[in-house]
């Protein structure tokens, strides 16, 4: 049985470009989203347009195509699930796509052979690589080639590469300072863990909200983001800020998203919240002095409890505060059906290795909760006081282990040495539950980590979500070394090359193309239609091509004769030297200076407003996300990151080494 979606990519493309020409890019995206939301395809009782319509199919439906997409036929047999059960019928083939996945292209010769794990898609912009497990929407098959949509690109791919199965996919997103992880499970459900700082506090101006929006809008072709789980690992702004950008429709950040709506089925949190200083000096709520350690006793629970803590209507009258309250409130308001859940386990269950599983019943994968670990106080769960505010919020992060086949992937939040001591005490001899094939590193590569805890994790691959904030200096060199020394070691057959451990850093994986500004020209700045030119460097420092305007380049491109091009270039340069020389002379006479006023992050959450001369300024032309893709079929783990070229990948693979729970 094949899966399918309702998509009409031809009409979608026509609407985008028609709107782009008349109203611009933003309006074109809005028109696309509106078309997708309104698209309905009738499911007929038979392969006949005059037959009864049994139901209307929409872009959010997941369809079963018993015989796949009926290429060359007007009608495709379809089954869709409705409240009353399965509904069978026929739908127009031109409004459907068949879902497929990129398979492994033959058995890899050795661990360093990456060719089987990528496949070429050909399009008008040139060949680009898809990765093993990439979701592909088949529009039409033509012999051994399929017309497809994948990663927001339309192109052609060999059909013999589309024989794969859905994988467990983990996208560790480059969010600068903070964490952001999107997970797609083999059954098609999605979990988002953290989102990084709010966009307006990001060095790059991007966070997890942008990647998730791209995934659903451009890659899947949907108009809505559907998350089965959204999890804030803890109440630090560099983890939940990007989540608020995603779900707060009233925020200015929401206007940067292409999707029209975000559905969140369940919201997970660690319980420990932020309160006014009057409640407790560290703003973490009521604290009781008990033996052997003080505990925090007011942990947020389900949706009703979250509502009470937002408005102070609970029996204890307590009310959470600050940015954390704003985020919880936005999550409540975004979707009235979102269930809230405190994700933790008690000390007895940790010792007995009874790990809660968040996966739906009957799943072939598991989502194990490993932390935070609570203890009992007056019949209710409480969290031990580990020290100052940062030690507690970071240390009591939600920690999850994702199991699929023999593979284990670990999400560690911002654990620190104090919390690791507590966890080792709780798990005792059962610390082997933390062992994994891939670990999202603790706290961005902070030095405050226990080496023995890293040894228990024993990861074959470690991904450090490192930021740009030099005040933190993450990742610390000793932790990069410790991650390697404590990792699972595997060498090539000749013992000369390292297969594992692998250490990734999102900051290192990111790259940017910087370009010098030579001048800024502003046209029609007055009623007379004059142009205003601001110079970014002395005219004598210009190279010949830098004198060209956009119109000059258009004229130059139309010339076929080499001598004509040479003469034209000479004319443009001479005219440019005269015109810009006059601008430079006038600026010197009048004392004119071009000063740019900007806005940039400072520290973790602060903002600075620098002033810079245009002279010598560099601009970022393009940015390659420091995204690290981790995928597994339960037997093999692949880690891939994009190269600077933007259409090629660096790929490493190794065998998963676990079995059972």
């Amino acid at each position: 049985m094949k899966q399918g979606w309702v998509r009409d990519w031809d009409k979608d493309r026509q609407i985008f470009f028609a709107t782009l020409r008349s109203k611009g890019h933003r309006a074109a995206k809005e028109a696309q989203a509106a078309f997708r939301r309104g698209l309905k395809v009738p499911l007929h009782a038979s392969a006949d347009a005059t037959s009864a319509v049994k139901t209307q199919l929409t872009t959010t439906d997941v369809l079963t195509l018993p015989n796949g997409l009926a290429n060359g036929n007007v009608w495709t047999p379809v089954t869709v699930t409705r409240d009353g059960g399965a509904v069978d019928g026929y739908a127009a083939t031109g409004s459907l796509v068949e879902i497929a996945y990129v398979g492994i292209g033959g058995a890899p010769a050795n661990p360093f052979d990456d060719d089987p794990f990528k496949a070429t898609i050909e399009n008008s912009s040139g060949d680009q690589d898809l990765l093993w497990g990439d979701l592909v929407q088949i529009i039409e098959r033509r012999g051994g080639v399929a017309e497809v949509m994948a990663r927001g690109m339309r192109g052609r791919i060999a059909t013999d590469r589309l024989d794969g199965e859905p994988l467990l996919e983990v996208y560790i997103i480059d969010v600068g300072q903070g964490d952001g992880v999107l997970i797609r499970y083999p059954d098609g459900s999605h979990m988002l863990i953290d989102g990084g700082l709010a966009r307006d506090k990001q060095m790059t101006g991007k966070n997890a909200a942008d990647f998730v929006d791209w995934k659903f809008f451009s890659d899947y072709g949907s108009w809505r983001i559907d998350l089965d789980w959204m999890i804030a690992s803890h109440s630090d702004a560099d983890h939940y800020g990007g989540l608020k950008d995603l779900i707060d429709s009233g925020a200015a950040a929401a206007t940067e998203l292409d999707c029209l709506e975000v559905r969140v089925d369940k919201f997970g949190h660690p319980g420990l919240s932020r309160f006014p200083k009057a409640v407790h000096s560290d703003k973490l709520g009521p604290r009781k002095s008990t033996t052997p350690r003080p505990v925090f006793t007011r942990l947020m629970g389900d949706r009703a409890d979250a509502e009470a803590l937002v408005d102070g209507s609970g029996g204890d009258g307590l009310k959470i505060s600050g940015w954390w309250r704003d985020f919880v409130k936005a999550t409540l308001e975004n979707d009235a059906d979102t269930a809230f859940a405190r994700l933790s386990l008690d000390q007895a269950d940790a010792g007995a290795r009874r790990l809660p599983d968040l996966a739906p019943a009957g799943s072939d994968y598991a989502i194990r909760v490993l932390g935070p670990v609570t203890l009992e106080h007056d019949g209710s769960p409480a969290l031990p006081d580990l020290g100052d505010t940062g030690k507690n919020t970071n240390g009591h992060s939600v920690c999850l282990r994702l199991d699929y086949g023999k593979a284990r992937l670990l999400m560690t939040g911002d654990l620190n040495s104090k919390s690791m001591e507590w966890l080792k005490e709780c798990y005792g001899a059962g610390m082997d539950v933390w062992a994994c094939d891939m670990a999202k590193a603790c706290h961005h590569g902070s030095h405050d980590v226990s080496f023995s805890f890293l040894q228990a994790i024993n990861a074959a691959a470690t991904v450090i979500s490192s930021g740009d904030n030099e005040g933190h200096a993450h990742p610390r060199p000793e932790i990069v070394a410790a991650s390697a020394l404590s990792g699972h070691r595997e060498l090539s057959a000749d013992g000369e090359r390292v297969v594992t451990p692998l250490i990734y850093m999102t900051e290192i994986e990111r790259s940017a193309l910087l370009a010098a500004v030579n001048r800024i020209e502003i046209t029609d700045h007055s009623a007379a239609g004059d142009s205003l030119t601001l110079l970014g460097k002395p005219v004598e420092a210009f190279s010949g091509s830098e004198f060209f305007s956009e119109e000059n380049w258009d004229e130059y491109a139309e010339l076929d004769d080499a001598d004509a091009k040479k003469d034209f270039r000479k004319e443009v340069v001479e005219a440019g030297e005269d015109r810009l020389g006059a601008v430079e002379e006038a600026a010197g006479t009048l004392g004119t200076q071009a000063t740019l006023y900007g806005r940039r992050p400072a520290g973790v959450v602060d903002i600075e407003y620098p002033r810079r001369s245009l002279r010598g300024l560099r601009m970022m032309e393009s940015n390659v996300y420091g995204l690290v893709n981790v995928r597994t079929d339960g037997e093999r783990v692949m880690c891939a990151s994009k190269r600077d070229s933007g259409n090629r990948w660096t790929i490493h693979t190794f065998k998963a080494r676990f079995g059972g729970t």
Side-chain angles (χ1 to χ4, degrees):
M1 292 286 190
K2 300 287 187 179
Q3 279 193 344
W5 289 339
V6 170
R7 297 289 187 273
D8 192 331
W9 284 108
D10 288 334
K11 288 184 181 177
D12 195 276
R13 179 184 174 88
Q14 291 168 9
I15 287 170
F16 175 81
F17 283 107
T19 311
L20 180 67
R21 285 190 292 268
S22 60
K23 298 182 179 179
H25 190 268
R26 183 66 211 164
K29 290 286 189 178
E30 292 171 353
Q32 267 186 306
F35 167 70
R36 295 172 185 180
R37 179 168 58 182
L39 181 59
K40 290 181 172 56
V41 175
L43 184 67
H44 289 276
S46 63
D48 184 346
T50 63
S51 63
V53 175
K54 303 176 80 171
T55 188
Q56 295 285 345
L57 307 178
T58 71
T59 52
T60 56
D61 284 323
V62 177
L63 314 174
T64 299
L65 309 181
N67 306 314
L69 196 66
N71 283 278
N73 294 317
V74 175
W75 301 98
T76 292
V78 172
T79 300
V80 65
T81 301
R82 291 289 184 254
D83 292 340
V87 180
D88 299 324
Y90 294 81
T93 301
S95 297
L96 304 176
V97 294
E98 179 186 322
I99 302 304
Y101 299 88
V102 175
I104 296 179
N110 59 64
F112 309 103
D113 182 8
D114 63 4
D115 283 344
F117 298 94
K118 55 191 179 186
T120 300
I121 179 172
E122 301 174 353
N123 66 13
S124 57
S125 300
D127 295 353
Q128 298 197 42
D129 283 344
L130 300 183
L131 289 173
W132 173 44
D134 268 347
L135 185 149
V136 174
Q137 301 175 48
I138 299 175
I139 299 170
E140 184 182 4
R141 284 190 176 87
R142 302 168 186 164
V145 177
E147 183 80 11
V148 302
M149 286 292 300
R151 290 185 171 268
M153 302 177 290
R154 184 161 181 162
R156 297 158 301 283
I157 188 171
T159 54
D160 62 5
R161 294 307 310 275
L162 303 180
D163 58 355
E165 297 293 329
L167 307 179
L168 173 56
E169 305 174 44
V170 177
Y171 298 90
I172 301 178
I173 306 163
D174 175 16
V175 296
Q177 174 63 34
D179 273 2
V181 182
L182 178 66
I183 303 162
R184 187 183 193 272
Y185 293 98
D187 61 3
S189 59
H190 289 81
M191 173 184 284
L192 178 60
I193 306 175
D194 295 332
L197 277 169
R199 187 186 285 109
D200 64 358
K201 295 178 175 60
Q202 286 284 3
M203 190 78 71
T204 61
K206 301 291 183 182
N207 57 28
D210 300 279
F211 178 78
V212 173
D213 183 57
W214 172 86
K215 192 69 176 170
F216 280 84
F217 189 86
S218 298
D219 191 3
Y220 299 161
S222 184
W223 59 272
R224 187 177 78 191
I225 295 169
D226 286 287
L227 297 176
D228 298 85
W229 277 98
M230 183 178 78
I231 297 173
S233 66
H234 59 289
S235 62
D236 281 356
D238 59 336
H239 289 253
Y240 68 80
L243 301 181
K244 187 172 184 294
D245 281 343
L246 188 70
I247 51 90
D248 189 356
S249 60
T255 62
E256 298 198 25
L257 302 180
D258 295 324
C259 286
L260 302 177
E261 191 175 296
V262 181
R263 295 276 182 88
V264 178
D265 189 31
K266 295 174 285 291
F267 169 61
H269 59 86
L272 193 64
S273 290
R274 304 278 184 154
F275 291 83
K277 192 171 184 178
V279 177
H280 178 255
S281 59
D282 276 343
K283 302 183 181 181
L284 299 179
R287 176 180 175 275
K288 300 294 183 182
S289 296
T290 61
T291 303
R293 55 176 60 83
V295 295
F296 292 100
T297 60
R298 185 61 173 97
L299 307 182
M300 187 165 69
D302 61 12
R303 184 182 180 97
D305 192 37
E307 290 171 341
L309 283 173
V310 165
D311 59 26
S313 62
D316 52 18
L318 291 174
K319 187 175 181 178
I320 57 178
S321 63
W323 292 349
W324 176 250
R325 177 184 178 274
D326 295 341
F327 165 60
V328 174
K329 184 173 183 289
T331 305
L332 289 166
E333 293 174 347
N334 172 70
D335 190 337
D337 295 325
T338 300
F340 278 51
R342 176 173 52 81
L343 304 182
S344 63
L345 69 164
D346 62 48
Q347 193 173 9
D349 285 339
R353 296 196 289 183
R354 294 189 295 266
L355 307 177
D357 186 2
L358 305 182
S363 299
D364 58 356
Y365 60 90
I367 308 170
R368 305 287 181 185
V369 180
L370 274 65
V373 176
T374 61
L375 45 76
E376 185 178 314
H377 175 76
D378 290 344
S380 298
L383 286 169
D385 186 350
L386 303 174
D388 60 28
T389 303
K391 289 285 191 293
N392 281 300
T393 57
N394 290 324
H396 292 309
S397 293
V398 173
C399 298
L400 303 177
R401 196 187 78 201
L402 318 179
D403 298 352
Y404 185 43
K406 297 177 182 178
R408 289 183 180 179
L409 311 179
L410 184 66
M411 304 292 119
T412 62
D414 274 4
L415 293 183
N416 50 46
S417 55
K418 283 291 186 181
S419 62
M420 290 173 176
E421 290 173 10
W422 166 243
L423 291 168
K424 286 188 287 186
E425 177 184 332
C426 295
Y427 280 92
M431 280 297 294
D432 59 321
V433 300
W434 289 84
C436 65
D437 292 298
M438 187 284 298
K440 196 287 302 175
C442 309
H443 203 186
H444 322 300
S446 164
H447 68 285
D448 186 17
V449 173
S450 158
F451 184 71
S452 64
F453 198 91
L454 294 183
Q455 287 180 307
I457 290 176
N458 191 220
T462 298
V463 184
I464 303 173
S465 183
S466 49
D468 306 290
N469 191 309
E470 295 307 317
H472 291 297
H474 292 158
R476 297 294 177 90
E478 65 269 36
I479 296 305
V480 177
S483 298
L485 290 171
S486 62
H488 175 70
R489 194 182 80 164
E490 180 186 346
L491 300 178
S492 60
D494 61 6
E496 293 299 326
R497 297 182 68 183
V498 173
V499 178
T500 66
L502 304 171
I503 311 297
Y504 291 87
M505 287 161 273
T506 55
E507 187 176 4
I508 297 298
E509 296 300 333
R510 182 196 314 147
S511 62
L513 176 63
L514 300 180
V517 178
N518 65 21
R519 72 184 188 275
I520 295 175
E521 293 198 2
I522 303 170
T523 57
D524 296 329
H525 75 284
S526 70
D530 296 335
S531 65
L532 173 66
T533 300
L534 305 174
L535 295 179
K537 61 183 180 181
V539 174
E540 64 181 20
F542 277 54
S543 65
S545 297
E546 288 182 291
F547 288 100
F548 275 55
S549 67
E550 186 175 353
E551 292 77 10
N552 294 149
W553 282 117
D554 289 341
E555 291 181 53
Y556 187 77
E558 294 178 0
L559 299 174
D560 296 324
D561 182 70
D563 288 336
K565 285 191 172 186
K566 183 178 179 180
D567 291 341
F568 182 79
R569 179 185 177 88
K570 182 180 178 182
E571 291 174 9
V572 170
V573 171
E574 290 177 349
E577 287 176 336
D578 290 341
R579 183 174 68 86
L580 297 182
V583 170
E584 187 172 42
E585 183 178 355
T589 302
L590 299 173
T592 304
Q593 296 182 7
T595 303
L596 299 185
Y597 293 76
R599 184 177 188 274
R600 69 184 178 200
V604 179
V605 296
D606 292 330
I607 296 294
E608 287 181 349
Y609 300 89
R611 299 179 300 279
R612 291 287 307 277
S613 169
L614 181 61
R615 293 273 176 129
L617 192 66
R618 295 296 190 270
M619 63 180 179
M620 186 175 75
E621 273 198 12
S622 64
N623 178 47
V624 175
Y625 249 146
L627 178 77
V628 180
N629 296 257
V630 181
R631 298 183 181 178
T632 181
D633 60 356
E635 294 289 332
R636 187 184 303 272
V637 180
M638 178 190 76
C639 300
S641 56
K642 227 170 189 182
R643 297 181 188 174
D644 290 354
S645 63
N647 60 0
R648 295 291 183 262
W649 300 87
T650 298
I651 298 171
H652 293 85
T653 63
F654 54 90
K655 290 182 179 179
R657 69 183 199 274
F658 298 93
T661 58

